[in-house]
Amino acid sequence: MSAELPRRIGFWGGAALMVGNILGSGIFQAPGSIAAETGSPAVALAFWIGSGLLSLLGALTFAELAASMPATGGIYLYLHEGLGPRAAFTFGWTYQLLIKPFAGAALSIVFAHHVNALFGTQVPAPVLACGLIVVLTVLNTLTVRGTTGTAIVLTLLKALSLALIVGLGLSLGKGSAANFAATPSQHPLWMGAAPMLYAVLWTYDGWVDVTSVAGEIHDPARNLPRILIAGTVGVIALYVAVNVVYISIVPLREMENLDTIAPLVMERLLGKSGAVAVTAMIVVSTVGAANGAILTGARVTYAQARDGLLFRFLGHVHPRFLTPDVSLYSQAVLTAVAVVYLRRFKDLSEGYGFLMGIFYAGAAAAVLVLRRRRPDLERPYKCWGYPVVPLVFILVSLGMAALYIAHDWRTTLPWLAVLLVGFPAHAIWTRSTRADRMPGS
């Protein structure tokens, strides 16, 4: 049998992985999308605060699961224990084929476009994106300690860069209070709610990924809840502060025409050199987020293979580096395929968000099921506000999935079809591998 993954990730490494996954491309791109849907800065900020609070509800819910089941796999593990192997298989199936490749590809595409902008080059975006995927996969294969160290450095750089925007915006006095006055919107708020939620929730997404490496977290009962809750609260505060500065410098009616807001903000604060600096900042941010996505994503495939619900070779651990090397390689191939065939950040990020919303709800439901079925399960941390907190999170997550379908059913229904195929695929897998003899099957 292969070696187990050792517990070498401490509080700061885990927090850096989580926050690094969250601080990707969204905070630079989402404000323009939100401005296009509302003329009220108060409404825009309310969506940032509300979406952050929704993420916090999820973190509070998942903290109970992570502390009581501190093993590698994250959502896959929670679904397996709470809703059974069929639900877990379907998640792992969808996660491996679509969800994590979409996330990694979206971040890599943003990285590629901004590298070209930074250096004035015209290298095809898929080439740069696939190159980043290969480099980070190799790094994650060689060492988990090195990648968590990288995550700490990159996360600090990203957080400090965003803090710099806030500091400059407040200290230089170049903003205008008049920008916070509401202006007429092109359509009712309810019509713009779905696009705004898509944009903001993508920006916050990533908080759950640290649970995928719970089996490698040192002292998980103590560290995992602290990582999830402190990390989410810190990101909410940072995002709201950054958006206040954005609006003070660039009014919403001007912001709505911009794909990326930060370069213009920095140019008005520091001159043309500011735009160059923030482009470099975005490159750093996407590298850090892609690094975290690659590290955490392979752990789900690894955990599923070790449970006999995927090919055994995907659960292989490198004998020298003690990392899930084969899962990392397979993930890299699928992510590169997503880059080449979809290419557009919008398609990749929305496909990811739609599918993850469904499984977020399922994993949160596992908290309710396990409280009833396994009252004796050791729970070092219990969800604050139970059962209201997990129930609200479930309802909003399912509502978001419904909004995705209503907003663009032609795009989302094929992804839903791939998810649903996971159920008969599990039946076929069970028959062909006699997985029904496994405990819990």
Side-chain angles (χ1 to χ4, degrees), residues 47-344:
F47 268 83
W48 282 100
I49 295 170
S51 297
L53 292 176
L54 176 62
S55 298
L56 181 59
L57 294 183
L60 290 167
T61 302
F62 280 63
E64 176 172 325
L65 294 167
S68 59
M69 293 178 283
T72 297
I75 292 178
Y76 162 77
L77 175 64
Y78 312 147
L79 289 170
H80 191 284
E81 295 300 313
L83 305 184
R86 180 171 297 180
F89 178 93
T90 301
F91 170 72
W93 159 280
T94 312
Y95 195 81
Q96 182 188 29
L97 292 178
L98 297 179
I99 292 174
K100 213 58 183 182
F102 282 0
L107 292 164
S108 301
I109 285 290
V110 175
F111 162 83
H113 288 312
H114 284 86
V115 164
N116 277 330
L118 182 63
F119 295 105
T121 53
Q122 295 182 340
V123 180
V127 173
L128 287 174
C130 289
L132 177 66
I133 292 163
V134 170
V135 169
L136 292 179
T137 297
V138 171
L139 180 62
N140 276 276
T141 301
L142 294 177
T143 172
V144 69
R145 183 168 294 167
T147 50
T148 54
T150 301
I152 291 173
V153 172
L154 292 176
T155 299
L156 282 173
L157 288 174
K158 289 187 287 184
L160 288 172
S161 297
L162 291 172
L164 178 63
I165 292 178
V166 175
L168 290 172
L170 296 177
S171 63
L172 295 181
K174 294 187 177 181
S176 172
N179 290 353
F180 290 91
T183 58
S185 182
Q186 298 179 2
H187 45 64
L189 177 61
W190 67 267
M191 291 181 63
M196 284 193 284
L197 283 170
Y198 304 156
V200 178
L201 287 176
W202 163 264
T203 303
Y204 275 107
D205 199 84
W207 54 267
V208 75
D209 282 350
V210 72
T211 65
S212 297
V213 296
E216 298 167 79
I217 298 289
H218 175 69
D219 194 6
R222 179 171 180 266
N223 282 329
L224 278 168
R226 293 169 63 217
I227 289 169
L228 283 163
I229 296 169
T232 304
V233 171
V235 171
I236 293 172
L238 183 60
Y239 277 180
V240 172
V242 169
N243 276 279
V244 167
V245 171
Y246 282 172
I247 295 170
S248 73
I249 301 297
V250 181
L252 291 185
R253 292 284 68 89
E254 182 180 0
M255 193 185 298
E256 66 180 314
N257 299 313
L258 302 172
D259 291 329
T260 303
I261 177 64
L264 179 58
V265 170
M266 289 295 284
E267 182 175 344
R268 291 183 178 178
L269 289 172
L270 297 178
K272 292 191 179 295
S273 61
V276 175
V278 82
T279 302
M281 181 196 314
I282 296 172
V283 170
V284 170
S285 292
T286 50
V287 169
N291 176 67
I294 287 171
L295 187 149
T296 58
R299 267 64 180 178
V300 174
T301 302
Y302 160 84
Q304 188 169 357
R306 293 294 293 264
D307 283 348
L309 291 176
L310 274 181
F311 297 108
R312 287 286 184 183
F313 67 83
L314 292 170
H316 182 263
V317 176
H318 194 285
R320 177 182 175 189
F321 303 121
L322 299 179
T323 55
D325 52 346
V326 178
S327 289
L328 284 163
Y329 302 150
S330 66
Q331 177 181 255
V333 171
L334 291 167
T335 305
V337 170
V339 166
V340 171
Y341 283 96
L342 290 179
R343 299 194 178 201
R344 291 181 52 189

Side-chain angles (χ1 to χ4, degrees), residues 3-30:
E4 295 292 331
L5 301 178
R7 295 188 180 276
R8 297 188 297 197
I9 302 175
F11 170 79
W12 291 109
L17 285 174
M18 175 186 162
V19 176
N21 278 10
I22 297 174
L23 301 181
S25 58
I27 188 59
F28 305 111
Q29 295 184 304

